[in-house]
Amino acid sequence: MTYVVTDNCIACKYTDCVEVCPVDCFYEGENMLVIHPDECIDCGVCEPECPADAIRPDTEPNLEEWVEFNRKYSEAWPVITQRKDPLPEAEERDGETGKREKYFSEAPGEGD
């Protein structure tokens, strides 16, 4: 099992999760985070920290696509280990549907 970041993170990018991760397996894109599935130790401490409820265990139904999505971008984006402010539109975008199609950017974030 691993944890994955889903589309709820897109256009919000809360980073509360990275502060509690004991293995630094979060990677930063321009407008979301991902978890490297091979680095995640399945401890689960990140899941309750996410204000957008974007972190899910891969054992939930229909998350196979998100495991591969997280793998792909964690290999392209820089690691992030310190909390940053969320994106300015985070509150208004939190819970919005269809965010991957509307807002997702493949561009890397700044990392640490």
Side-chain angles (χ1 to χ4, degrees):
M1 186 178 92
T2 186
Y3 284 83
V4 294
V5 180
T6 63
D7 58 343
N8 292 346
C9 184
I10 299 169
C12 290
K13 198 166 87 172
Y14 291 102
T15 57
D16 307 60
C17 52
V18 302
E19 278 193 323
V20 298
C21 180
V23 294
D24 301 336
C25 64
F26 281 89
Y27 292 81
E28 182 184 16
E30 179 178 41
N31 68 355
M32 79 173 292
L33 304 176
V34 292
I35 295 171
H36 194 300
D38 295 335
E39 295 173 4
C40 176
I41 61 169
D42 312 326
C43 67
V45 297
C46 59
E47 186 181 17
E49 295 299 318
C50 181
D53 195 30
I55 301 172
R56 313 301 313 154
D58 72 345
T59 53
E60 288 189 3
N62 306 314
L63 288 183
E64 299 83 10
E65 172 187 1
W66 284 104
V67 173
E68 291 313 309
F69 180 95
N70 276 244
R71 181 183 312 282
K72 175 181 178 179
Y73 290 103
S74 65
E75 292 174 357
W77 293 345
V79 70
I80 178 172
T81 61
Q82 297 177 357
R83 187 179 184 286
K84 298 179 180 180
D85 290 335
L87 295 176
E89 66 271 17
E91 283 191 34
E92 68 184 74
R93 299 270 190 256
D94 189 1
E96 187 176 328
T97 59
K99 291 175 22 170
R100 184 171 174 184
E101 294 77 21
K102 293 182 208 174
Y103 309 119
F104 175 68
S105 169
E106 291 188 347
E110 296 174 6
D112 286 345

